[in-house]
Amino acid sequence: MIKVFIVESDTAVREEIKNSIKWEREGYEVAGEASDGELAYPMIVQERPDILITDIKMPFMDGLELSRLVRQELPDIKILIVSGCAEFEYAREAIQIGVEDYLLKPVSSAELLKVLRGVSVSVIQEWEEKELLKKYEEDMWENREYKKEEFLTRILTQSLSVTEILAQGKILSMDLSARLYNAILLKITGDFDGADGQNHMLDVFTDVERTLEEQKGVYYFRRGLEGWVVLCLAEDERQMNYKVESVGECINRIISSCPLQLEYFGAVGKPVLRLRELKDSVDEAERVFAYRYLKKWNQMIGSEDISEGIMDNVELDLSSLEIVRQDRRVAEEFMRTGLKGEVTHFVNEFFGNLGENNMQSLFFRQYVTMDVYVTAAAVLESIGYDSNELVSRCGDFKHMVRTFQTVEQTKRYISNVMGTAIELREGVSKYTNTSLLKAARSYIEHNFDNEEISLNSVAASVNLSPNYFSTIFSQEMGQTFIEYLTQVRMKKAKELLRSSSMKTSEIAYAVGYKDAHYFSYLFKKTQKCTPREFKSQA
């Protein structure tokens, strides 16, 4: 029902207004009443009525002052003035405030009801538009996440001025003004199978993002398949430490309550004073992030944890070279899941873990390099490459031994081997992704008319988790899933508008929209004209 609030100083007139109309039968609810503006204002703010009926001349606060205050607090409220004052100045001020109508007393119930019905049409129309906008924004949520990723990339490449960063941040509902900034690289992973496991994983990602959004001065950007860049804003170092700890506690709580066997790793960068220096914070977090292959998960670590030796140290047993055999698994995991841009950081930390004294030994360097080379060849063979592919790109190891005269030469060679393995792996992954996306697009083309089609259902059709599918779809297609689905539906709708006599409501249903109003809203939003206008143009 449409809520009405009545403000009238004359008790008899107020009672007459209340009793002369069958409010509920007409679709209205009297949400409250008051004798003057001062009493009415807090009640109106609390009840949030759709229509305010008010007199002008009242004690303590008149109707015009009340209208100004209410308009500031509730900009969509419709205001009707019923007054015995016929002065032009009052009417002019009422128009400036944005009053819907100005009625002179005495007003009959029939006249008041006629005006109310006219105003109610606007109220209901605005309700519908808000609902449509809400649904549209929900559909475009994935698109917003994609735009946030692009925004972060532009910040880190320093292609935006501070003014542009602050302005674009506001568009994305981010207030990026602060005295201190820091970045956290966050990743969650685990073993899960089947639809139930994927749904649980999706719930975890949703919980993480919702929890981060609820924290003031904390913003997240999706990063890769299972991770985020979390940006923390603070006024001083103490507040920053609190926010970083709070992020860790929230993630730990979510992971602990999940039935899946999940792990998280958080790498904290260094605080910076300027938005333009945010890249330095992220770079530091990247360096710390390389430790995820060398250290225990389920913790947040920073560069001070590494430099101060808080991380566990490994006792070396050179006689058995046990440390190399342990780190072989770490190197293999990195070549299977790491990124090419992380190679330098990883190799530096990898060598540091092996021990500076040990790396001074030529024999030890050769042994380590051979181990990494053989591991890289095994990784490539497991994904379908011939071992000769590594030889052709990096050279045969037995002919390269003489180049390992220094630690730096060894680092460069191992970096080249690892980088090559990752590059070849990504090539296979890209080919696989292309095939999966082809299957996904085919599924969309054949099911776009099903109103139940969603990111989850399409991801399930190609046996991918929703988060993974969303990421590769955006990366490979240059648009989000919902943008692509909407594009397919609008293309088919335009075909039907041009070549059939179907009604708009029938076309909406034919392309997958149960709500014809939402279809029309979306059509105008994306095509810049209504379905009716498009049909007449065609």
Side-chain angles (χ1 to χ4, degrees):
M1 285 190 175
I2 295 175
K3 296 169 68 175
V4 177
F5 198 99
I6 302 170
V7 186
E8 169 61 61
S9 58
D10 190 320
T11 305
V13 174
R14 192 166 70 247
E15 288 298 317
E16 183 180 351
I17 293 174
K18 283 171 53 184
N19 298 326
S20 63
I21 295 175
K22 303 294 183 183
W23 295 98
E24 289 189 13
R25 189 178 70 185
E26 295 292 339
Y28 301 97
E29 172 195 348
V30 178
E33 60 179 289
S35 59
D36 64 77
E38 187 175 345
L39 291 175
Y41 180 69
M43 297 168 67
I44 291 171
V45 171
Q46 181 178 1
E47 293 294 334
R48 307 184 76 82
D50 304 295
I51 299 174
L52 167 63
I53 300 174
T54 182
D55 191 5
I56 289 184
K57 286 191 174 181
M58 297 182 292
F60 305 107
M61 181 190 292
D62 66 33
L64 292 177
E65 186 177 355
L66 172 64
S67 296
R68 278 193 294 271
L69 288 174
V70 168
R71 176 68 73 202
Q72 291 173 5
E73 184 68 27
L74 304 172
D76 294 332
I77 194 171
K78 309 302 178 186
I79 302 174
L80 300 178
I81 288 182
V82 179
S83 175
C85 303
E87 288 91 339
F88 173 73
E89 191 60 35
Y90 284 137
R92 188 178 71 170
E93 192 169 349
I95 291 172
Q96 291 175 343
I97 294 170
V99 168
E100 298 295 317
D101 212 330
Y102 192 110
L103 306 176
L104 290 176
K105 295 176 181 177
V107 179
S108 68
S109 60
E111 184 183 0
L112 179 58
L113 187 57
K114 181 180 177 180
V115 173
L116 281 170
R117 285 171 177 166
V119 172
S120 298
V121 171
S122 299
V123 171
I124 294 171
Q125 185 178 354
E126 288 179 8
W127 281 356
E128 291 175 348
E129 288 177 353
K130 285 180 181 178
E131 284 301 311
L132 294 175
L133 180 59
K134 181 180 178 182
K135 181 171 175 53
Y136 177 75
E137 289 176 345
E138 288 174 353
D139 283 349
M140 291 296 121
W141 176 79
E142 183 198 356
N143 186 44
R144 176 174 172 269
E145 296 304 311
Y146 183 57
K147 289 187 181 298
K148 283 169 61 179
E149 289 183 56
E150 290 183 324
F151 179 46
L152 179 63
T153 299
R154 296 192 68 190
I155 294 176
L156 298 183
T157 55
Q158 299 179 333
S159 61
L160 296 175
S161 67
V162 174
T163 302
E164 290 171 326
I165 292 173
L166 294 174
Q168 292 194 24
K170 284 187 177 180
I171 294 174
L172 294 169
S173 302
M174 298 179 182
D175 182 1
L176 298 179
S177 176
R179 294 185 178 181
L180 205 60
Y181 305 88
N182 204 351
I184 302 171
L185 299 188
L186 177 65
K187 184 179 178 70
I188 296 176
T189 189
D191 296 326
F192 58 92
D193 296 311
D196 287 343
Q198 289 185 0
N199 288 335
H200 280 306
M201 197 68 170
L202 181 61
D203 289 342
V204 168
F205 291 151
T206 302
D207 286 346
V208 167
E209 293 180 351
R210 184 174 62 245
T211 301
L212 292 175
E213 277 192 337
E214 290 172 353
Q215 297 193 48
K216 187 177 180 180
V218 175
Y219 303 103
Y220 73 85
F221 304 82
R222 289 183 179 176
R223 179 181 186 266
L225 305 180
E226 299 154 345
W228 301 265
V229 174
V230 181
L231 177 60
C232 296
L233 281 62
E235 293 304 302
D236 53 45
E237 188 174 345
R238 181 179 179 182
Q239 189 183 63
M240 180 63 74
N241 291 337
Y242 172 78
K243 289 196 174 184
V244 171
E245 289 175 7
S246 180
V247 169
E249 289 171 0
C250 291
I251 301 304
N252 190 58
R253 185 169 60 252
I254 293 171
I255 295 297
S256 301
S257 62
C258 178
L260 301 177
Q261 295 297 314
L262 300 179
E263 293 182 308
Y264 76 91
F265 191 90
V268 184
K270 65 177 182 179
V272 294
L273 299 175
R274 305 173 187 274
L275 272 170
R276 299 276 293 176
E277 297 172 346
L278 187 59
K279 184 178 184 301
D280 297 335
S281 181
V282 174
D283 285 346
E284 180 64 12
E286 288 276 13
R287 187 181 76 82
V288 177
F289 200 57
Y291 269 82
R292 72 189 186 279
Y293 293 103
L294 304 172
K295 303 300 178 183
K296 293 179 180 179
W297 281 51
N298 294 328
Q299 62 176 331
M300 304 270 287
I301 66 169
S303 55
E304 68 279 2
D305 299 324
I306 298 169
S307 60
E308 292 175 8
I310 296 176
M311 308 300 295
D312 52 306
N313 294 316
V314 182
E315 292 295 330
L316 303 183
D317 182 2
L318 292 180
S319 62
S320 63
L321 296 175
E322 179 63 25
I323 183 62
V324 179
R325 286 196 288 273
Q326 289 177 357
D327 282 2
R328 180 185 303 146
R329 293 188 297 273
V330 174
E332 179 181 354
E333 177 68 14
F334 176 69
M335 285 185 277
R336 288 190 183 279
T337 63
L339 302 175
K340 193 170 181 181
E342 299 175 330
V343 169
T344 300
H345 288 314
F346 176 82
V347 171
N348 286 335
E349 305 303 340
F350 183 73
F351 270 47
N353 204 52
L354 293 172
E356 183 178 349
N357 292 334
N358 295 318
M359 294 310 300
Q360 298 307 312
S361 164
L362 176 61
F363 168 75
F364 191 80
R365 293 200 299 273
Q366 291 174 342
Y367 182 87
V368 169
T369 308
M370 178 183 67
D371 201 71
V372 170
Y373 188 96
V374 171
T375 302
V379 167
L380 292 176
E381 286 178 356
S382 71
I383 58 176
Y385 279 103
D386 188 280
S387 59
N388 289 327
E389 188 68 34
L390 193 62
V391 173
S392 65
R393 290 174 178 253
C394 299
D396 194 333
F397 174 75
K398 63 185 178 182
H399 297 142
M400 302 295 291
V401 175
R402 287 171 298 184
T403 66
F404 309 140
Q405 297 304 308
T406 68
V407 174
E408 287 306 313
Q409 286 178 325
T410 308
K411 279 187 179 181
R412 284 197 295 271
Y413 183 75
I414 288 181
S415 295
N416 185 33
V417 169
M418 288 186 167
T420 299
I422 292 173
E423 185 179 319
L424 292 172
R425 184 207 75 207
E426 288 177 343
V428 171
S429 178
K430 187 171 184 179
Y431 175 78
T432 302
N433 290 345
T434 300
S435 301
L436 290 171
L437 287 176
K438 184 177 180 181
R441 291 199 304 271
S442 176
Y443 182 89
I444 294 170
E445 293 287 345
H446 288 90
N447 294 277
F448 70 88
D449 56 345
N450 182 351
E451 65 172 309
E452 299 299 327
I453 190 172
S454 65
L455 177 71
N456 290 5
S457 64
V458 179
S461 74
V462 290
N463 297 315
L464 293 178
S465 70
N467 194 56
Y468 182 51
F469 174 72
S470 175
T471 300
I472 65 169
F473 194 96
S474 299
Q475 289 175 347
E476 298 296 328
M477 297 293 292
Q479 61 184 151
T480 62
F481 161 76
I482 194 65
E483 285 179 319
Y484 183 79
L485 175 61
T486 303
Q487 177 181 301
V488 170
R489 285 173 162 174
M490 292 299 115
K491 180 181 177 182
K492 183 62 178 178
K494 288 190 290 186
E495 290 176 6
L496 294 174
L497 285 167
R498 286 194 188 103
S499 60
S500 77
S501 59
M502 295 170 67
K503 297 178 181 177
T504 299
S505 58
E506 294 172 332
I507 292 175
Y509 189 80
V511 298
Y513 295 104
K514 186 177 181 180
D515 187 339
H517 293 293
Y518 182 60
F519 164 71
S520 297
Y521 175 85
L522 199 56
F523 191 96
K524 185 175 182 180
K525 194 84 174 177
T526 57
Q527 308 304 313
K528 310 306 178 186
C529 64
T530 66
R532 185 188 297 272
E533 290 169 344
F534 182 85
K535 191 175 182 70
S536 64
Q537 291 168 7

